[in-house]
Amino acid sequence: MRAIQGKAAVLLMAALLLGGCGSSSSPSSPAASPGPGTATTGAVNPGAPTITIKDFEYGAPLTVAPGALVTVTNVDAAGHTVTADQGKAFDVDVKGSGGTATFTAPSAPGSYPYHCAYHPNMHGTLTVK
Ligand SMILES: [Cu+2]
C-alpha cells in the first residue's frame, strides 16, 4: 500500500511539473523579451555611452555596462568602423561627416580592443563591466 502511494505521489509530481512547463512556455517567444530590470524603452537616451571618432582617433577609452547600447559618432570626413579585434563582438560602419551608428556592447565583462577596418592604425578599447 505504501509503495502504491509513493508511485501515485511521483506521478502527481510529474503531472504538476509537466503542467508547469506547459503553462510557462505558452507565451510566444519568451527569449525575445529583455531580461528583468532592463530599461529598454527604445527612446533616445541622452546619457548613452558614446564613442566620438575625430582626427582618426576613437578618443578616451569607454567603459559601459554589459549589453549597453553604444552610440558612435564620426566627425571625420572619412568613414570609419568600430570593429572588435577578436571574434564578432561588434562591428559597425560609421559614415563620415557626422555619421552615427549604434551597437550593443557584449554581455560578458571584459576588455574589448577594436580597430577600424579601413585604417588599421586606428585602435580603441571598450571595457565592459
Ligand atoms: Cu577609419
Side-chain angles (χ1 to χ4, degrees), residues 4-110:
I4 291 167
Q5 278 179 338
K7 266 187 185 169
V10 168
L11 285 173
L12 183 61
M13 292 264 287
L16 285 171
L17 285 171
L18 287 171
C21 267
S23 64
S24 71
S25 65
S26 55
S28 60
S29 66
S33 63
T38 328
T40 308
T41 59
V44 175
N45 180 2
T50 303
I51 296 170
T52 301
I53 306 174
K54 185 182 179 186
D55 297 333
F56 292 75
E57 289 179 355
Y58 290 109
L62 186 65
T63 299
V64 301
L69 187 66
V70 180
T71 300
V72 186
T73 301
N74 177 13
V75 301
D76 281 350
H80 296 297
T81 75
V82 176
T83 305
D85 286 4
Q86 294 178 348
K88 299 191 185 299
F90 46 85
D91 180 11
V92 290
D93 196 290
V94 197
K95 288 182 167 37
S97 305
T100 62
T102 59
F103 67 89
T104 302
S107 55

